[in-house]
Amino acid sequence: MIFARAERRTLDIAGGLALGGVLVFVGAATAVLLGHAGGGSGAPLLDAYIGRVAQFTLMQAALSTLLSIVLAIPVARALARQRTFPGRVWIIRLSVVPLGLPALVAALGVVEIWGRQGVVNDLLRLAGLQNPVSVYGLAGILIAHVFFNLPLAARFLLAALDRIPPEYWLSSANLGMSGGAVFRLIEWPVIRRVLPGIAGLVFMLCATSFTIVLTLGGGPAATTIEVAIYQALRFDFDPQRAVLLAFLQIAVTAALLWLISLFGRPPEEGMTAGRAIRRFDGRRRRVPDGLVILLFTLFTAAPLAATLVSGLAADFGRLAVDAQLHRALATSLAISLASAAISLAIALPVVLVPRLAESGDGGAATRLMGRALPAVGSLILLVPPVVVATGWFLMLRTFGETGRFAPFVVTVLNALMALPFVIRVLEPAYRTHLSRTARLALSLGVTGWRRFLRIDWPALKKPFLTAFAFAMALSLGDLGAVAIFGAEGFVTLPWLLYSRMASYRTADAAGIALILGVLCLLLTLPSTAAERQTERPGSDA
């Protein structure tokens, strides 16, 4: 027994509300989509355009994944070998920055570096090349996706390589193994086990990409399914086509989630005595590894630096008195605060009710919810936010101007979008905490709010704040749901930034991008500030 009777009753009620609320919200949108799908005129909707959209969605995701993975392997190996150079920990921290950066801000940074008037094309012109690189279309999408996913993949691969027992490196040095043998016999078996899962995650992120493709797509020839849904509703107002595309997107995400689930087995780890990691093969690879790390740092940092430079050049005096910017900032902050609170409120029963069911304290309803609630966190992955927003847009359109309802729908959608991350942060922390304190607290009669304030909160404050901050950052930077409901009276910072970019007010867009980027990074960076090098100060690379 780990919960008191009153706590069990509260958890049952909270679990029922969370399960029912999420199912009703997503189910209502899906039901509306089904209703519109059944009410068509009989005209063929599965035309060549939809085929091209589906083909481009999968092709750009496959190419983005291939580039991200192929480039991430040498980056991770170089960082794993070179363990003591100055600034290593900051380069690893830099790899987290794109994760907390809104996609629209990153797209603006990519344009500053790779655009027609960007740094890369300026260098190409100096070299005598007259045909500049076009950042719009497939090339721009690939560059932006690699900017986001190369650091993510490198981070996961580096973590896997760091789990290799230090004794393996000592043995390889004693045997005089060459670099090729080290890769083939030690590194590659570890990389091979984690690679399918990492590739599946990157492919999923690229296949469901909305903001990057909307900003850099460059027209009908470079359109993904989610962007086609937006265009069908906002430009063509063709609900039938939007519904068909929405179900096509559900089918794609369902297939991707199923494939990712096949590779969910954690990698096997060898026995170790817990010694500090010493890579003896790093000495002879310092120059090539240094070049790889330098190129990775430049590729990741250049768009961030360009965004900072162009943002600082904006007219902040004019932006400071821009009433529309004030409204957008207030709206974004209000929505992000509310969505983060809702996401935490849903996540708590999702995390705790299965623990209650595992303990055997609850009844049949508790056991049923314990099996059903974990799926709630993945439901928004199966039915993406743009698809849910489409269903609610079609439903609310019958009641008049959808802009009146937009803040409420977007708030809940952003909460559900952040839910998988919030659960991933809270679940292991709560599991460990309950195993250590639950029975002792119950035996002392410390239950309810007293238990949360005196025992749970001091131990779980950091995971709670981390989850809340990331949920806020995700909501602040989201454009997908807002784009579907975009209305004159409802403007968020990402939507205002996109509008200024679309109207070629680039100076204002740069200033707004800097404000939005700084806000999101301030929320996400503190959770990674505790990075520590695992090596001993005197270890030799």
Side-chain angles (χ1 to χ4, degrees):
M1 181 178 293
I2 59 175
F3 294 104
R5 180 177 298 176
E7 291 175 323
R8 295 198 298 268
R9 185 163 54 248
T10 301
L11 284 176
D12 283 339
I13 295 172
L17 290 174
L19 181 61
V22 173
L23 290 179
V24 167
F25 186 82
V26 178
T30 307
V32 171
L33 294 175
L34 286 170
H36 278 77
S41 59
L45 292 174
L46 194 60
D47 53 19
Y49 170 73
I50 291 181
R52 287 197 304 271
V53 168
Q55 182 180 9
F56 181 81
T57 300
L58 298 177
M59 179 195 63
Q60 62 84 20
L63 289 175
S64 299
T65 303
L66 180 63
L67 287 172
S68 299
I69 295 298
V70 167
L71 295 175
I73 291 175
V75 171
R77 294 183 67 213
L79 287 171
R81 275 192 296 257
Q82 309 301 328
R83 310 192 64 81
T84 58
F85 66 88
R88 179 181 186 270
V89 69
W90 290 105
I91 292 176
I92 295 175
R93 287 176 184 173
L94 177 66
S95 68
V96 182
V97 172
L99 302 180
L101 198 68
L104 197 56
V105 177
L108 193 62
V110 168
V111 171
E112 292 286 342
I113 297 297
W114 297 86
R116 182 172 292 273
Q117 304 301 323
V119 176
V120 172
N121 279 317
D122 288 344
L123 294 175
L124 291 177
R125 291 189 189 96
L126 288 176
L129 299 176
Q130 298 301 317
N131 295 322
V133 175
S134 176
V135 77
Y136 296 102
L138 179 60
I141 293 171
L142 294 179
I143 291 170
H145 281 167
V146 172
F147 168 76
F148 274 107
N149 295 304
L150 167 59
L152 177 67
R155 180 90 173 197
F156 283 138
L157 289 172
L158 177 60
L161 292 174
D162 282 347
R163 289 195 296 267
I164 296 175
E167 290 81 4
Y168 285 26
W169 308 119
L170 182 61
S171 298
S172 68
N174 290 334
L175 294 171
M177 294 173 63
S178 65
V182 167
F183 175 73
R184 188 176 68 256
L185 299 176
I186 300 178
E187 293 178 318
W188 176 244
V190 173
I191 294 174
R192 184 180 58 200
R193 285 195 292 266
V194 300
L195 202 57
I198 297 172
L201 174 62
V202 173
F203 192 95
M204 176 83 174
L205 293 173
C206 297
T208 57
S209 176
F210 175 79
T211 304
I212 292 297
V213 181
L214 180 66
T215 309
L216 302 176
T223 298
T224 57
I225 298 173
E226 290 200 1
V227 174
I229 294 171
Y230 164 75
Q231 293 171 342
L233 286 178
R234 302 303 299 179
F235 297 121
D236 305 329
F237 197 72
D238 188 349
Q240 288 294 307
R241 185 181 293 274
V243 169
L244 182 63
L245 288 165
F247 281 113
L248 181 60
Q249 181 70 353
I250 292 174
V252 169
T253 51
L256 292 176
L257 287 173
W258 175 74
L259 287 174
I260 292 174
S261 69
L262 298 180
F263 305 106
R265 183 174 59 88
E268 300 172 3
E269 297 184 17
M271 297 296 293
T272 176
R275 298 176 179 176
I277 298 174
R278 297 183 65 189
R279 290 292 300 267
F280 301 93
D281 56 337
R283 295 190 188 96
R284 58 178 181 268
R285 296 286 303 179
R286 280 181 177 146
V287 173
D289 284 348
L291 181 60
V292 169
I293 294 170
L294 176 62
L295 292 175
F296 168 72
T297 304
L298 289 175
F299 179 79
T300 306
L304 304 176
T307 301
L308 177 63
V309 171
S310 60
L312 291 175
D315 187 351
F316 283 99
R318 186 174 71 250
L319 290 176
V321 296
D322 189 335
Q324 193 176 28
L325 175 59
H326 297 165
R327 289 195 300 271
L329 178 59
T331 300
S332 289
L333 289 175
I335 287 177
S336 63
L337 281 168
S339 64
I342 293 171
S343 190
L344 279 176
I346 297 174
L348 279 175
V350 172
V351 169
L352 292 177
V353 171
R355 306 288 82 73
L356 176 60
E358 288 175 3
S359 68
D361 294 343
T366 302
R367 291 192 294 272
L368 180 61
M369 281 194 296
R371 289 192 291 268
L373 278 171
V376 166
S378 302
L379 188 59
I380 200 63
L381 300 177
L382 177 62
V383 188
V386 170
V387 174
V388 180
T390 301
W392 277 95
F393 177 84
L394 296 174
M395 182 193 310
L396 297 175
R397 185 170 58 96
T398 60
F399 297 100
E401 176 55 48
T402 56
R404 293 182 298 164
F405 307 99
F408 307 102
V409 178
V410 171
T411 297
V412 178
L413 268 174
N414 287 347
L416 295 181
M417 182 179 64
L419 190 59
F421 172 80
V422 173
I423 293 173
R424 185 176 291 263
V425 172
L426 292 182
E427 198 277 334
Y430 242 120
R431 180 185 289 272
T432 302
H433 176 70
L434 288 176
S435 68
R436 293 173 177 173
T437 66
R439 287 179 172 81
L440 178 59
L442 193 60
S443 66
L444 295 174
V446 183
T447 61
W449 278 106
R450 286 196 306 154
R451 172 174 171 170
F452 179 79
L453 294 175
R454 296 183 180 181
I455 299 176
D456 295 346
W457 177 250
L460 299 172
K461 178 168 60 176
K462 183 179 178 181
F464 267 100
L465 294 178
T466 298
F468 190 86
F470 260 90
M472 276 193 67
L474 287 173
S475 180
L476 274 173
D478 176 61
L479 180 66
V482 178
I484 297 294
F485 282 92
E488 190 66 29
F490 177 62
V491 179
T492 62
L493 277 180
W495 182 249
L496 180 63
L497 171 57
Y498 178 72
S499 301
R500 297 286 169 91
M501 289 176 63
S503 58
Y504 299 102
R505 298 171 64 178
T506 54
D508 285 355
I512 296 170
L514 181 60
I515 294 171
L516 181 58
V518 168
L519 283 174
C520 291
L521 291 179
L522 286 176
L523 288 168
T524 56
L525 283 183
S527 65
T528 63
E531 290 280 355
R532 294 288 184 270
Q533 287 180 297
T534 58
E535 309 81 14
R536 293 173 180 170
S539 63
D540 185 12

